[in-house]
Amino acid sequence: MSKKILIVGGVAGGASAATRLRRLDENAEIIIFEKGPHVSFSNCSLPYHLSGIIENEESLVMVNPETFKERYNIEARINQEVMKINRDRKTITVMDAITGTAYEEAYDKLLLSPGASPIRPSSIEGINNANVFTVRNVDDISQLNTYVKQKGIQDVAVVGGGFVGVEVAENLRLAGFGVSLIEYANQVMTTFDYDMAQIMHKEMADQGVNLVVNDGLAYIGDRFIKTHSGEVIGAQAVVLAIGVKPETSLAEDAGLEIGVTGAIKVDHNYLTSDKDIYAVGDAIEVHHRILNKPTRLALAGPAQKQARAAADHIYNISKNRNLGVIGSSSVHLFDLNAATTGLNARMADSAGFTYDSVYIMPADKVGLMPNSNVLHFKLVYETPTGRILGAQAIGKGNVDKRIDIVATMITMNGTLEDLKDVELTYSPMLGTAKDAVNLAALVALNQLNGMYKEVKVTEVRDLVEQNACIIDAREQNEFHAGHLKNAKNIPLSEFRNRLDEIPKDEQVYVHCRSGQRSYNMVMALQNLGYTNVWNIAGSYLGISLYEYYNDAVSGREKIVTEYNFS
């Protein structure tokens, strides 16, 4: 006897489960219920319609109901909202939004993929004004795009600096609008560490985005918003990207178990507390394999894997090897690409790990090649085991490639030794013989094994203000173009003849442009009997990037004579 399988919600989870189920059973009756007008669309691509990178909103729709029927013999019912699960009768109650009538549909197995909805705090005055938008589906992005382009809008405020907020801000700016991005935390993209986020802050400022951090939305008017600090920002339209909450009302009303994170609790096969009901996607609670605790992760990749595993379990195809999630993600921001995986240093610290990190900035390909650019790479590892905990990368090139390598290492419980030795492809046009990930592992092993000491870029301001002994190992022309105010210029090419200028009885901190020349000087000084010498991670380029945005918005005294970003 063939199964009747009902799926609530489409997009990544529901649509993927439906097509997998069809491949497993040609005779099954499969029905998808979607409360909106589109059952399968690229929600991750929605912001790119605002800039015209995706010209037609129809392109965002990946598969329509007719195609589902023709290609897969799957019935996709749009504008049909599932109102209730009747577990005792194994039926669902559905409301047809077009006719306004309700009906019941029976199931053998039910799969929930309701997703997550944008947060819209009712406490904020003006939150329901006609000029306030969220971005969840094609209709949302269409309404926003129509409003800002047909209402004579000049300035838009985007509230929230996560993936959606950053991408919406970028694409509105590319479309020529004045854009302010307001973030309650002290940085955008909190999956990155604060030092790495400063690179993105500078990029947004350079591209004309008015970035406001450490401040929240307090009031929305017709032509302006007001923040908690009292700042008034001109904005005729507002996009809320504060975050999302899992859609659990259907599951809760049906008495399904809800996890500690507030999402639907599932087992390792994505089965809920009802043996005939599965759940996948943004609405479920998942296991974080590094933190070893429940979490939520609203990403398309994991949702598709969950959908396949749930479909397989319905047909007892295999036992799912549920490894949990590590949180791998990437984002494009104007001229930069940024990617991250696993834990950043802040997360590792909060979770109680003993850890350390390295920050390097090699070229993303051989420097002689066109379009060779700096790759900012941060690797976080556990001490004393050397187990890799996470990584972040920002640059103009293929940062995702490097983070994907580290993600693979984490999944396989890799260590610094493993990452050091991993064999990667090489072409001068694509990378370097010693790739950034190999180099990061080597630097981290030197640090772990006590070969040398370093201080983080976050500590340099204090060193300057304390008038610490800082040596700039760059050449004179580089030094004169911009330097730390209290640094002494002793180039790597000259230091062996100027040892009398380097004290042995106090701590000495060395930097260059990227950390390579200063590392060589530190190692040489140690071999010459110096015991209190430290390399400054990030060096002058990292210092300039770290200091720039906060200097600009606070008006504080600079610790450099001139920034140098080249």
Side-chain angles (χ1 to χ4, degrees):
M1 182 178 176
S2 61
K3 289 183 172 67
K4 183 176 182 180
I5 305 169
L6 306 185
I7 299 173
V8 180
V11 198
S16 296
T19 52
R20 175 62 175 172
L21 287 164
R22 174 55 72 223
R23 290 192 292 273
L24 296 177
D25 185 355
E26 183 60 29
N27 296 315
E29 183 180 0
I30 304 169
I31 308 174
I32 304 174
F33 296 85
E34 175 56 54
K35 64 181 179 181
H38 305 106
V39 68
S40 179
F41 57 90
S42 179
N43 53 355
C44 297
S45 301
L46 294 175
Y48 298 94
H49 180 47
L50 298 171
S51 60
I53 291 175
I54 297 176
E55 293 186 17
N56 302 313
E57 66 182 67
E58 293 82 7
S59 301
L60 294 165
V61 180
M62 302 180 72
V63 186
N64 58 36
E66 294 74 25
T67 303
F68 265 112
K69 188 65 177 176
E70 293 167 358
R71 293 184 182 177
Y72 307 107
N73 193 25
I74 293 171
E75 186 178 353
R77 299 181 186 175
I78 58 175
N79 299 307
Q80 308 281 304
E81 183 173 4
V82 177
M83 308 299 294
K84 187 178 181 183
I85 302 171
N86 310 300
R87 291 171 59 190
D88 55 341
R89 301 193 298 276
K90 291 188 70 172
T91 68
I92 58 173
T93 301
V94 185
M95 175 65 70
D96 187 319
I98 304 301
T99 65
T101 58
Y103 63 94
E104 286 194 18
E105 194 77 40
Y107 63 83
D108 294 313
K109 299 291 182 180
L110 176 65
L111 188 142
L112 305 178
S113 182
S117 57
I119 295 172
R120 188 185 284 256
S122 58
S123 59
I124 298 175
E125 186 176 348
I127 201 75
N128 294 315
N129 289 358
N131 65 336
V132 180
F133 300 85
T134 57
V135 176
R136 184 185 185 186
N137 53 41
V138 178
D139 273 0
D140 290 343
I141 207 71
S142 177
Q143 290 173 22
L144 171 60
N145 198 44
T146 299
Y147 188 89
V148 297
K149 292 179 179 176
Q150 294 185 2
K151 296 283 187 178
I153 302 300
Q154 293 181 320
D155 299 309
V156 183
V158 180
V159 185
F163 289 101
V164 175
V166 164
E167 290 171 348
V168 167
E170 174 197 19
N171 282 277
L172 285 170
R173 186 72 190 118
L174 291 174
F177 295 96
V179 178
S180 297
L181 178 64
I182 294 85
E183 169 55 51
Y184 183 77
N186 65 352
Q187 65 171 85
V188 301
M189 300 299 297
T190 54
T191 50
F192 291 81
D193 279 317
Y194 185 75
D195 53 350
M196 298 294 282
Q198 301 313 308
I199 303 169
M200 291 184 275
H201 288 181
K202 179 182 182 298
E203 178 69 8
M204 297 183 83
D206 287 350
Q207 298 290 345
V209 174
N210 174 34
L211 177 61
V212 179
V213 296
N214 265 326
D215 210 349
L217 177 65
Y219 174 84
I220 302 174
D222 290 336
R223 302 187 65 82
F224 69 93
I225 64 167
K226 186 180 292 186
T227 68
H228 289 163
S229 68
E231 183 177 357
V232 176
I233 299 172
Q236 300 87 48
V238 178
V239 182
L240 298 177
I242 300 171
V244 296
K245 58 182 179 180
E247 290 276 14
T248 60
S249 57
L250 201 60
E252 289 186 73
D253 292 345
L256 299 178
E257 188 175 353
I258 303 299
V260 295
T261 65
I264 302 170
K265 187 171 183 178
V266 295
D267 70 5
H268 67 292
N269 292 306
Y270 306 103
L271 191 62
T272 69
S273 53
D274 186 308
K275 65 180 180 63
D276 294 312
I277 303 177
Y278 294 78
V280 299
D282 299 355
I284 71 168
E285 184 174 88
V286 292
H287 177 74
H288 198 295
R289 66 173 295 156
I290 307 175
L291 296 175
N292 195 31
K293 69 177 185 179
T295 188
R296 302 198 321 248
L297 187 67
L299 294 173
Q304 291 192 354
K305 295 179 181 69
Q306 295 156 14
R308 182 184 179 92
D312 284 356
H313 191 258
I314 288 174
Y315 280 92
N316 297 312
I317 298 298
S318 63
K319 298 296 182 182
N320 177 45
R321 189 169 69 111
N322 192 327
L323 297 176
V325 300
I326 60 175
S328 301
S329 60
S330 57
V331 67
H332 179 75
L333 180 61
F334 296 108
D335 291 334
L336 293 179
N337 302 310
T340 180
T341 189
L343 306 185
N344 59 35
R346 184 185 62 256
M347 294 164 65
D349 189 59
S350 297
F353 281 90
T354 55
Y355 75 95
D356 209 333
S357 65
V358 293
Y359 171 29
I360 63 171
M361 46 184 70
D364 58 4
K365 61 186 70 171
V366 171
L368 297 173
M369 295 298 130
N371 300 318
S372 174
N373 290 289
V374 171
L375 172 65
H376 299 271
F377 189 87
K378 184 172 184 177
L379 184 68
V380 182
Y381 62 93
E382 184 180 52
T383 58
T385 66
R387 179 168 66 113
I388 300 167
L389 298 177
Q392 303 149 61
I394 302 176
K396 295 183 178 182
N398 295 331
V399 301
D400 53 333
K401 164 186 170 181
R402 276 72 184 203
I403 294 302
D404 286 343
I405 294 166
V406 178
T408 304
M409 282 285 169
I410 293 173
T411 303
M412 301 179 72
N413 296 314
T415 67
L416 295 175
E417 291 286 354
D418 297 317
L419 187 59
K420 169 179 73 74
D421 291 329
V422 66
E423 184 179 342
L424 303 171
T425 64
Y426 163 60
S427 162
M429 289 291 286
L430 301 175
T432 54
K434 186 185 294 177
D435 192 81
V437 298
N438 302 125
L439 181 59
L442 289 168
V443 174
L445 283 167
N446 279 344
Q447 185 173 277
L448 181 66
N449 294 325
M451 296 292 290
Y452 82 110
K453 303 184 289 289
E454 72 171 26
V455 296
K456 312 302 183 189
V457 68
T458 54
E459 303 171 70
V460 175
R461 174 169 282 272
D462 286 342
L463 294 177
V464 173
E465 292 174 349
Q466 294 163 12
N467 199 31
C469 179
I470 299 176
I471 294 175
D472 189 328
R474 297 175 300 161
E475 295 301 314
Q476 289 185 19
N477 63 316
E478 296 175 273
F479 180 82
H480 291 314
H483 59 266
L484 290 171
K485 289 184 175 178
N486 68 327
K488 182 178 183 65
N489 185 211
I490 305 180
L492 179 65
S493 59
E494 300 177 12
F495 86 98
R496 289 176 178 85
N497 297 320
R498 297 174 61 179
L499 292 176
D500 59 330
E501 300 178 47
I502 304 175
K504 279 190 174 182
D505 57 352
E506 63 179 286
Q507 291 186 334
V508 175
Y509 303 91
V510 187
H511 78 81
C512 56
R513 174 183 174 272
S514 66
Q516 184 174 5
R517 282 174 285 177
S518 55
Y519 163 68
N520 281 291
M521 184 183 288
V522 165
M523 295 300 290
L525 288 171
Q526 288 182 162
N527 288 328
L528 292 168
Y530 288 78
T531 58
N532 290 316
V533 59
W534 303 68
N535 191 29
I536 298 178
S539 279
Y540 201 72
L541 177 57
I543 293 165
S544 294
L545 287 165
Y546 182 74
E547 293 288 318
Y548 175 80
Y549 174 75
N550 284 321
D551 287 353
V553 297
S554 69
R556 68 187 182 184
E557 182 180 350
K558 296 190 299 182
I559 62 172
V560 299
T561 58
E562 295 291 341
Y563 307 108
N564 190 328
F565 304 114
S566 61

